[in-house]
Amino acid sequence: MKTLMLGLSLLLSSAAAAPVTLKALYMKQAAYSETDIQKMTRAFETTHPDVKVSLEFVPYEALHDKIVSAASAGTNGYDVVLFDVIWPTEFAKNGFLQDVTARIPASDNAKVFPGAWKTVEAGGKRYGMPWILDTKYLYYNKAILSKAGFKTPPRTWAELLTQANAIKAKGLVKYPLVWSWSQAEALICDYTTLLSAFGGSFYQGGKPSFNAGGGLKALEFMTDTLRQGVSNPNSREYLEEDVRKVFSNGEAAFALNWTYMYALANNPKESKVAGQVGVVPAPGVKGVSAASAMNGSMALGIPTGSGHKDEAWAYIRHMTSQPVQETYAKLSLPIWKSSYSKPAVTKGQTDLVTAARTSLGVMLPRPTIAQYPQLSTALQTALQKALLGQQTPKQALDDAARVASRLR
Amino acid sequence: MAAPTVPRARRTFSIPLSWPLLLPLVLLLACVVGYPLLRTVYLSFTDASLNALGTRPAWVGAQNYLTALTNPDFHATLWHSTYFSVASVGLELVLGVLVALLLNQPFRGRTAARALLILPWAIPTIVNATMWRWIYNPEYGALNALLTQVGLTGTYRSWLGEPGLALNMVVLADVWKNYPLVALITLAALQSVPAEIHEAAALDGAGAWTRFWKLTLPAIAGPLSVAVVLRTIEAFKVFDIIYVMTRGGPADTTKTASFTVYQEAYTYLQAGSGAAYANVMVLVSALLIAAYLWLSRRQGQA
């Protein structure tokens, strides 16, 4: 009995002195790797011995629903969550995320890219710190292009089609282009890039406008590439990682993908085409745009239910700090402007940093409405119907626009 | 001579005693079954939303049900669930019985084969779904490689990318995982059929087919119908394998009713209408089961 009491009191006293444990939610794919995130976190724990951080990784596709269900479950949820640029409006409206506007030093405003700040802003307030500054770039296989007789990568989508057709005609690869057109958010990201190139918009004057002009031309371009046989038809069931595998296997001349693919496609352990991978901003359209990009950034925030907001904020500041971001700049480029001239960041990836200078300045955001998940689902279905030839691009987008006009 | 009856005094005494004894179980069931069920019914008549935590949802009457029942997209997903159930349970039944008949024959290594049978069923659905995604991969998948090597096809197909194919391919992945359950139940039932009956029938000149039809099938019909009901309930509410393999794509052709419920409640945060969709699903599956039970009882009486 005595030993039991002793054991109990020991247990209780150790519990009282136990460090705060933060629960953090991250995603499994793209941008920083799990190992990188673990290393960054361990570094934080050594400088903050009273704080422990337990990490959880889920696929991107499960991230939104995890955050939402944890928030509705009440207090025992997460202390730090990774969130996508398309969610702040919804999360702010529903009170899922803590307003941290006052915590961010004013001196940071000019140091971080405006596009990155957009990731955390809703209704004039900030709900976290941007962490992954990302957009889709055009990757190309230098060896295939030079075999086909092209010295420079395409600057316009029309030029890209010409090059792709020539590559196909010479039999260098069966399908020169590969995309992530599975029924998922990835499809919306590719579509948004093209919509930005063709000068389209999602909404105009509060009404859906993607079913005409640039939005329609973007989808017509997508279906055209399939009809001409230059886009890999399997793109319709691919996500980003599938795109990376096909491109890294040397089976595609062009691919649209996030920053993280640059390092991995150039890594001989991961890729058969290491050393031949070129990267440029996604092309533009003559007379409309010089380059195209979409905002695919992500940020770290504190759920309102967290009981350790101060510790969580200290951890977020560490993860988003300039030194940490510069150390791990291989899979995700920093949010800090001045990092882009630092050798630690540019070394071995000058092409990527050069492309980033252009792309990060022209990133088109996806619509910032609270009912974005509904809009995205409707658009995904519509785009797939057109890509599968079940509907014409116009019919498909008109259907999606009808749904979109009811959302806000 | 009448059967001995329980003395009257004891019987009247035992009923009031049984009630307090049953109470813990009743309470437990009320907590884990009753409350969630009633809560879902209540929510389905409100505009409850995960958007508005802490505020009292407003009563909207049958509005959510009207929306659900008139939504053509939901009709399509109900149809996909039905198709999935009929196709997968049908195939599992045929394959399960065939494999059970095979494993019921004496041969070397039968014990090992029976142990292996359970393996697919023991694999978690997520693992099974991921594995089949790889097998179906249009560029590097085993299925395309196999079909090409044996000369059945010259071109690689996008198994999960073609609207007409995708749902069927998911059905096959599900059949592979779940037929062992049917096979096991059948195998257990087969053990109860004495070999002598088969021998006697064979002596009387009954062929293999007649013996299966007249002797084996009646013996396993009862256990098999249990397997069918269990599998149909599970198949109709299929969600996880779809979530991992196709997420409802291509172009919504593999979107099942459960997927709609999930999307409504957790992606769109509409708890009220999500509950209404869920209740419609429960009703449809209850009807399916009732119809099945009615049919099997009629067959039993005939």
Side-chain angles (χ1 to χ4, degrees), chain A residues 65 68 94 183 237-238 384, chain B residues 51 139 158 250-252 262 269:
Chain A
D65 303 349
V68 169
N94 305 333
Q183 184 161 339
E237 63 163 285
Y238 281 165
Q384 280 234 315
Chain B
N51 284 345
E139 235 119 343
S158 175
D252 283 352
Y262 169 82
L269 315 180

Side-chain angles (χ1 to χ4, degrees), chain B residues 127-138:
Chain B
V127 177
N128 179 57
T130 313
M131 187 179 85
W132 281 93
R133 248 193 83 132
W134 274 107
I135 294 174
Y136 292 153
N137 184 294

Side-chain angles (χ1 to χ4, degrees), chain A residues 18 34 40 69 138 235 251 257 290 311:
Chain A
E34 276 188 49
M40 296 176 195
S69 40
L138 180 72
S235 300
E251 287 162 29
N257 213 337
E311 291 88 348

Side-chain angles (χ1 to χ4, degrees), chain A residues 212-354:
Chain A
L216 179 59
K217 281 183 192 151
L219 182 54
E220 282 168 349
F221 177 85
M222 291 160 83
T223 53
D224 276 351
T225 64
L226 283 166
R227 209 175 25 248
Q228 294 178 17
V230 290
S231 273
N232 190 327
N234 300 330
S235 300
R236 293 173 294 197
E237 63 163 285
Y238 281 165
L239 289 171
E240 291 91 337
E241 278 292 87
D242 305 299
V243 169
R244 178 169 79 84
K245 281 182 192 110
V246 171
F247 185 83
S248 299
N249 247 352
E251 287 162 29
F254 300 106
L256 206 61
N257 213 337
W258 308 106
T259 307
Y260 85 108
M261 186 163 107
Y262 189 73
L264 295 180
N266 270 319
N267 178 351
K269 277 189 201 141
E270 293 269 344
S271 163
K272 288 186 192 162
V273 299
Q276 300 167 16
V277 181
V279 62
V280 285
V285 168
K286 206 174 172 188
V288 181
S289 58
S292 55
M294 48 81 57
N295 195 341
S297 303
M298 297 183 83
L300 293 173
I302 310 171
T304 33
S306 164
H308 309 290
K309 294 198 175 74
D310 291 337
E311 291 88 348
W313 183 248
Y315 174 62
I316 289 175
R317 287 299 287 182
H318 164 82
M319 296 298 278
T320 57
S321 70
Q322 196 161 358
V324 169
Q325 290 217 311
E326 285 171 2
T327 314
Y328 297 94
K330 282 285 174 266
L331 295 174
S332 180
L333 291 172
I335 57 167
W336 307 92
K337 289 177 187 168
S338 62
S339 295
Y340 289 69
S341 50
K342 300 255 178 81
V345 174
T346 55
K347 191 169 173 272
Q349 47 184 13
T350 40
D351 285 0
L352 180 67
V353 171
T354 312

